[in-house]
Amino acid sequence: MTAMVRAEQVCKSFGALEVLKGIMLEVQTGEVLVLVGPSGSGKSTFLRCINHLERVDAGRLYVDGELVGYRERGGRLHELTPKDAARQRRDVGMVFQHFNLFPHRTALENISEAPIHVKGVKRDTAVTQARELLDQVGLSAKADAYPAQLSGGQQQRVAIARALAMQPKLMLFDEPTSALDPELVGEVLAVMKRLASAGMTMVVVTHEMGFAREVADQIVFMDGGVIVESGAPHEVMTNPKHERTKAFLSKVM
Amino acid sequence: MTHTDAPRSPQTSAASIDAIPLRHPWRWVGAGAILVLAALFVYGAATNPAYGWPTYLKYLFDERVSQAAWNTLQLTIYSMAIGLGLGVILAVMRLSPNPVFGAVAWVYLWIFRGTPVYVQLVFWGLFPSIYQNIRLGVPFGPTFFQLNLQGMSIAFVLAFVGLGLNEAAYMAEIIRAGISSVPEGQTEASTALGMSWWMTMRRTILPQAMRVIIPPTGNELISMLKTTSLVTAVPYTLELYTRTRDISAVIFQPIPLLLVAATWYLVITSVLMVGQFYLERYFSRGASRKLTAKQLDALARAQLGEGHL
């Protein structure tokens, strides 16, 4: 069985700045991987590489056995056409720190937008599905509200529903609760927990150690563009082997 | 799971506030002073024979003048349509990842913003002398289609094409500013959902950019209405200003006809402003936290009816 995500020596630089220095990891189908680490450690960049928002400079990155952003032909890599790259991204949902909902569309329209216009789902079907998703994230009463009329937690839940509407096989979460008021964090984490227990494969960048302990199958600690330590959450969190991990955990827990 | 988003209204309600509103006496004084000055000016203008009010009234609804006003409006609309359409294309080209498109758009802007519109209009007027024939076909080969420009009276077409091509350069910059005002996260979210670059532009970026684009575009439209008076350079003489000037040259009364032209310009501008108001309202949806009347209704009904949402 192929892993949902497989990274082999993934490297990424912005100009002279090396952000990722050979990331190796695997996420099995149905697994939840939590990426932690200080800011600037490259965890968000790695997440963005997974759906090719950033291009990988060296190494190989596979999603569901398919090379991300390139095609291998005759022993050489060819860049994917924008169309093929877009097709790859359809199967990967992404949730952003600042929600990035479409402000000119209602909650319902935000969710049905991509199914209708990207996948070509019939409007009625897409709207019905969008209502179900809104219900799942506990916001069926807010279907006609615009994002500016929703609280941060509500916006993020709509954003999760929007990503789910494309029926992705993998969900990426880029610090989904970092921009929220503390009292709103719980409602977003609750939705994510339910998603995880429903069997969704997830890669989550977060500072919520409680969430990591409870939900993660695997926790990866990154620092300076490398993986310092990884393993089951209780091992890494209760018994960190590296000094840097210890120092980081003592600050966030 | 149910959410109670609004606190339940308490059973006992406090007496509503009945305070004396703040008075603004100086506003009344200022308004009064301005009214007096305005009345004096109107009286002076009405009694001054130099304004030639009888002539003004005679020519205000003169058929030649109203036809000229219609021509002016047509020139404005056609040239703005070209300016807007081409402006969107140029702005998107400038921002596109394709360097060839970017360079073409840049050169276009450089030329059309870098030369006076009057000069451009004179050039378009001379266009039929430079290119007498337009032939469509294989170079040095057979011709499929031929257009003899010199044999046609195309001053009107040249006038609005000339204005439109010039306007496109300015519109492109306005639209580019609008597009740049949309946060990068919007592009990222669209990309992550599998939208193509063009679909992202069309469905996500441009509708949001409209909010920034419309006010300066309204400016451009009104400015265009008045710039049409320059098409006499083509020469096209049947628009409002040139037409009224031609009439006044015959009857030796420039002032009343100037006022006639000004009145028509003002009326058309006012109509355009109404249109702008509704456009702005449409594209500002979602921009404010304020609930629309419809949403407030729904919430009030929910509060009365179901108790909690």
Side-chain angles (χ1 to χ4, degrees):
Chain A
M1 188 178 137
T2 53
M4 184 55 82
V5 180
R6 196 166 86 241
E8 296 172 357
Q9 297 293 350
V10 169
C11 298
K12 169 77 194 168
S13 316
F14 294 108
L17 181 71
E18 261 187 285
V19 183
L20 299 177
K21 304 171 188 165
I23 301 294
M24 297 269 265
L25 59 76
E26 268 192 17
V27 186
Q28 302 302 327
T29 304
E31 241 187 4
V32 176
L33 177 114
V34 170
L35 280 169
V36 295
S39 53
S41 60
K43 45 194 199 313
S44 283
T45 304
F46 177 69
L47 200 71
R48 292 160 60 83
C49 286
I50 296 177
N51 70 350
H52 201 44
L53 279 181
E54 306 288 355
R55 48 187 286 179
V56 172
D57 294 334
R60 298 277 193 279
L61 187 55
Y62 298 91
V63 170
D64 206 12
E66 205 180 335
L67 192 60
V68 173
Y70 300 93
R71 197 197 315 272
E72 201 153 14
R73 212 192 297 138
R76 287 213 56 185
L77 290 188
H78 297 257
E79 254 184 274
L80 285 186
T81 61
K83 202 175 154 191
D84 286 334
R87 186 187 48 74
Q88 277 189 342
R89 290 192 188 100
R90 270 173 219 186
D91 297 333
V92 181
M94 183 149 188
V95 175
F96 299 87
Q97 181 177 2
H98 296 288
F99 330 133
N100 298 349
L101 288 179
F102 304 131
H104 57 307
R105 302 192 190 286
T106 63
L108 192 76
E109 289 168 347
N110 262 282
I111 300 170
S112 62
E113 169 76 9
I116 293 172
H117 294 279
V118 177
K119 259 191 175 174
V121 176
K122 276 214 194 72
R123 186 171 292 272
D124 295 349
T125 321
V127 168
T128 313
Q129 188 212 6
R131 286 198 190 282
E132 279 166 20
L133 283 166
L134 268 178
D135 196 40
Q136 278 176 36
V137 297
L139 288 172
S140 40
K142 297 289 184 186
D144 296 323
Y146 285 99
Q149 299 164 340
L150 299 174
S151 73
Q154 291 170 334
Q155 287 190 52
Q156 192 61 297
R157 285 187 278 155
V158 173
I160 293 173
R162 175 175 71 172
L164 289 175
M166 290 297 277
Q167 290 159 334
K169 52 193 180 194
L170 168 68
M171 284 283 283
L172 308 175
F173 292 85
D174 190 3
E175 304 202 23
T177 57
S178 300
L180 297 177
D181 289 341
E183 65 191 46
L184 302 178
V185 169
E187 64 189 50
V188 172
L189 292 181
V191 169
M192 289 168 63
K193 277 177 205 166
R194 255 184 291 145
L195 201 56
S197 57
M200 177 60 78
T201 314
M202 293 160 59
V203 180
V204 185
V205 172
T206 188
H207 295 295
E208 294 294 330
M209 300 315 284
F211 174 82
R213 191 194 331 250
E214 202 179 324
V215 180
D217 298 296
Q218 210 189 140
I219 183 165
V220 168
F221 174 69
M222 280 177 71
D223 193 11
V226 295
I227 293 178
V228 176
E229 194 164 350
S230 69
H234 62 271
E235 274 173 39
V236 177
M237 287 165 83
T238 50
N239 194 13
K241 294 187 183 63
H242 288 261
E243 279 311 312
R244 277 191 287 178
T245 319
K246 278 179 202 162
F248 176 76
L249 289 175
S250 69
K251 274 179 224 152
V252 295
M253 294 213 314
Chain B
M1 192 160 81
T2 55
H3 288 266
T4 321
D5 286 306
R8 306 285 293 273
S9 55
Q11 292 307 303
T12 55
S13 58
S16 57
I17 293 170
D18 184 23
I20 294 158
L22 190 61
R23 309 272 187 222
H24 300 282
W26 285 105
R27 289 184 190 173
W28 290 100
V29 173
I34 289 166
L35 269 181
V36 168
L37 287 175
L40 282 174
F41 175 77
V42 168
Y43 178 77
T47 52
N48 189 335
Y51 281 101
W53 295 112
T55 320
Y56 170 83
L57 286 176
K58 185 176 162 205
Y59 283 98
L60 186 57
F61 297 109
D62 187 288
E63 206 188 317
R64 285 170 295 173
V65 174
S66 54
Q67 182 61 46
W70 174 237
N71 289 341
T72 288
L73 186 62
Q74 278 182 307
L75 277 176
T76 308
I77 289 170
Y78 297 158
S79 46
M80 269 317 271
I82 293 176
L84 208 60
L86 194 56
V88 171
I89 295 171
L90 286 167
V92 169
M93 277 169 79
R94 272 203 81 175
L95 292 167
S96 95
N98 182 335
V100 179
F101 283 162
V104 169
W106 187 88
V107 170
Y108 185 97
L109 257 67
W110 178 61
I111 292 172
F112 280 87
R113 281 202 309 176
T115 55
V117 64
Y118 194 84
V119 172
Q120 289 172 27
L121 287 170
V122 172
F123 174 84
W124 293 116
L126 295 172
F127 193 76
S129 331
I130 307 172
Y131 303 98
Q132 286 97 345
N133 277 302
I134 290 184
R135 269 174 300 187
L136 213 66
V138 184
F140 310 109
T143 303
F144 306 126
F145 171 81
Q146 184 165 344
L147 202 66
N148 185 348
L149 289 182
Q150 275 199 316
M152 296 162 65
S153 65
I154 50 168
F156 181 73
V157 176
L158 289 175
F160 74 71
V161 168
L163 287 174
L165 293 180
N166 177 259
E167 185 58 30
Y170 291 91
M171 281 310 303
E173 286 299 274
I174 289 173
I175 292 163
R176 189 167 67 101
I179 292 175
S180 311
S181 76
V182 179
E184 208 186 356
Q186 292 293 312
T187 313
E188 285 190 348
S190 307
T191 309
L193 285 167
M195 291 190 192
S196 65
W197 182 83
W198 174 234
M199 185 184 279
T200 303
M201 264 298 157
R202 197 165 46 86
R203 305 260 338 149
T204 306
I205 308 297
L206 285 175
Q208 291 182 61
M210 287 308 271
R211 215 159 51 80
V212 176
I213 291 171
I214 286 174
T217 303
N219 248 354
E220 289 293 310
L221 181 64
I222 288 165
S223 158
M224 175 62 82
L225 176 71
K226 295 170 293 183
T227 310
T228 55
S229 58
L230 291 183
V231 298
T232 177
V234 169
Y236 177 76
T237 55
L238 296 177
E239 47 71 41
L240 191 51
Y241 176 67
T242 314
R243 199 80 193 88
T244 52
R245 207 189 45 191
D246 286 350
I247 295 171
S248 68
V250 174
I251 63 169
F252 299 113
Q253 289 211 57
I255 293 166
L257 279 150
L258 214 52
L259 291 172
V260 166
T263 307
W264 276 100
Y265 279 121
L266 209 53
V267 167
I268 300 174
T269 305
S270 311
V271 172
L272 297 178
M273 281 166 74
V274 172
Q276 185 182 349
F277 169 80
Y278 284 104
L279 266 182
E280 275 182 27
R281 199 172 63 169
Y282 176 75
F283 281 106
S284 69
R285 68 194 194 285
S288 159
R289 296 188 50 121
K290 271 201 205 135
L291 299 170
T292 62
K294 209 172 107 189
Q295 288 172 322
L296 282 173
D297 263 6
L299 280 180
R301 249 182 290 123
Q303 211 173 34
L304 289 175
E306 294 106 60
H308 64 264
L309 295 172

